[in-house]
Amino acid sequence: MATPFNVVCFAGSLRKNSRNHGLLRYLTQTAPKVAPQLKLSIVDEIREFPLFNRDIIDEERVPEAVVKAWWRVLKADAVIIATPESERSLTPVTTNAVAWLSKSIFKDDEKKNLTAPLRGKPLGLVSAGGDMGGGRGVFADFFAVSLIALNVQMHIAHKPALSVRIFDSQPMPFNMATGELTGEETMKKADAYLAEFQEWVAKTAVVKK
């Protein structure tokens, strides 16, 4: 069997019971069954990212959490972002993570010319939310991330996409206390999304030698 594609994921929410984190946890658990060519892992280090400030890079004070996440994303074959909608755009957590991961963070000559971690990567977008739900989150994400992708040359998977409307069905698709995905129908949709995303990554990812 071919070596699986390394897919890193992060959620644009810091809440303990974040449903977007729960959605990513489910995707990592179901991947071996429905998308065996993908090896998913969650980049939790973004919880520790400071607000992006170029002075931190210039003064060589980049925190270890940022450095660790930066290398993880650089070595990945693809990225999945799970983010709720915020003011009809990306959440501040998401934009801050993208700011750190879309440029070089090093000053020394040996590393400063390394490519931005997100550059050229296939990108999947998923979202869980209320009101119009994840649908508005994904729509907002496509618009905002498309602008970012122009700069870092990412390959956005406009289809497939996965949006989950939290309050649309009873019982709710998530355990609201823990954020875990529990709805069987939503699980089926997540499985189908990941199987399609696997095909997208196989078509667009740059094969590493």
Side-chain angles (χ1 to χ4, degrees):
M1 181 178 176
T3 302
F5 291 104
N6 176 16
V7 182
V8 293
C9 315
F10 66 85
S13 173
L14 302 182
R15 298 186 66 182
K16 293 179 180 179
N17 64 341
S18 166
R19 271 69 70 182
N20 285 278
H21 269 285
L23 187 55
L24 287 183
R25 287 194 293 272
Y26 177 77
L27 292 178
T28 63
Q29 293 162 10
T30 194
K33 178 179 66 175
V34 302
Q37 286 182 278
L38 305 181
K39 182 179 180 182
L40 273 64
S41 62
I42 298 175
V43 182
D44 278 328
E45 290 88 355
I46 70 162
R47 291 178 174 274
E48 302 173 47
F49 281 19
L51 286 176
F52 180 79
N53 182 343
R54 188 77 204 189
D55 288 347
I56 296 176
I57 297 175
D58 293 341
E59 296 167 8
E60 301 184 71
R61 295 186 290 108
V62 178
E64 182 60 31
V66 175
V67 175
K68 183 177 179 180
W70 197 95
W71 282 109
R72 285 185 63 186
V73 177
L74 181 68
K75 294 175 182 178
D77 299 298
V79 179
I80 294 176
I81 299 176
T83 180
E85 173 265 342
S86 176
E87 306 300 332
R88 300 184 183 275
S89 187
L90 302 172
T91 64
V93 176
T94 304
T95 56
N96 190 55
V98 170
W100 280 108
L101 298 172
S102 61
K103 54 186 62 65
S104 177
I105 60 171
F106 301 106
K107 297 293 291 182
D108 61 276
D109 292 337
E110 184 179 349
K111 299 176 182 176
K112 68 180 181 181
N113 292 323
L114 288 172
T115 188
L118 292 176
R119 183 175 297 277
K121 301 273 195 306
L123 172 64
L125 296 170
V126 300
S127 185
D131 190 19
M132 287 182 66
R136 188 167 71 180
V138 167
F139 177 80
D141 293 350
F142 280 149
F143 179 75
V145 173
S146 292
L147 298 179
I148 296 169
L150 289 174
N151 292 323
V152 291
Q153 300 172 3
M154 299 190 78
H155 306 290
I156 304 176
H158 292 278
K159 184 179 181 182
L162 175 63
S163 62
V164 182
R165 298 178 69 172
I166 296 172
F167 304 111
D168 240 19
S169 60
Q170 294 296 332
M172 291 182 183
F174 292 91
N175 180 320
M176 300 301 281
T178 65
E180 297 302 318
L181 180 61
T182 55
E184 291 186 6
E185 289 303 312
T186 304
M187 288 179 178
K188 291 178 182 177
K189 291 179 181 179
D191 289 352
Y193 164 81
L194 205 54
E196 287 188 61
F197 186 67
Q198 175 179 254
E199 295 180 12
W200 172 257
V201 172
K203 291 177 182 177
T204 58
V206 176
V207 178
K208 295 182 175 64
K209 295 182 179 180

